[in-house]
Amino acid sequence: MSEETPPHHNARPDDDVRRIARELKVKYGTVVPRELEADESFLAAVELLADDAVDDETVARLARDSGPFIAAIGCEAVRRRGTAPAGWEKKALRRLAQATPEEARFHLRALAAASRQDLIPRVLGTVRESWVAEPIAAAAREVLTAR
């Protein structure tokens, strides 16, 4: 593992995820999907949340967090789990509307993997002009093809 502190796997994964998110913010400054998806600390935090011992509500809450790194970790865990609590989509879409293009990739992929509703019109309603970058287009295609 890298020089970052590994997760402790305690009963409150929030603390570990928030600590790792702070370390990632210092390391990267902003959410950069390609970098995070290869970062050992990010992946360890995702694995911690993807564990079945962590309840869906905790993971969904972290995926909607206003902190971009916390939200990215939570969204990736939602994507890996493929589940989220009933009704989480509405809050997830509100968070997506506030996301930067880089963050939006994680939110879109989580929605594609775990949504129980047809979200295409609602997702398209959140798309902003600044979301023309290929990573966002790829994530949007993932949402469209998942349905």
Side-chain angles (χ1 to χ4, degrees), residues 21-29 69:
R22 284 191 301 272
E23 292 171 357
L24 293 169
K25 184 173 183 173
V26 168
K27 184 175 182 179
Y28 296 108
F69 289 94

Side-chain angles (χ1 to χ4, degrees), residues 33-55:
R34 190 170 285 151
E35 296 290 330
L36 290 178
E37 291 167 349
D39 186 281
E40 291 180 18
S41 294
F42 177 81
L43 296 173
V46 169
E47 286 300 317
L48 178 68
L49 288 183
D51 189 292
D52 290 338
V54 180
D55 63 282

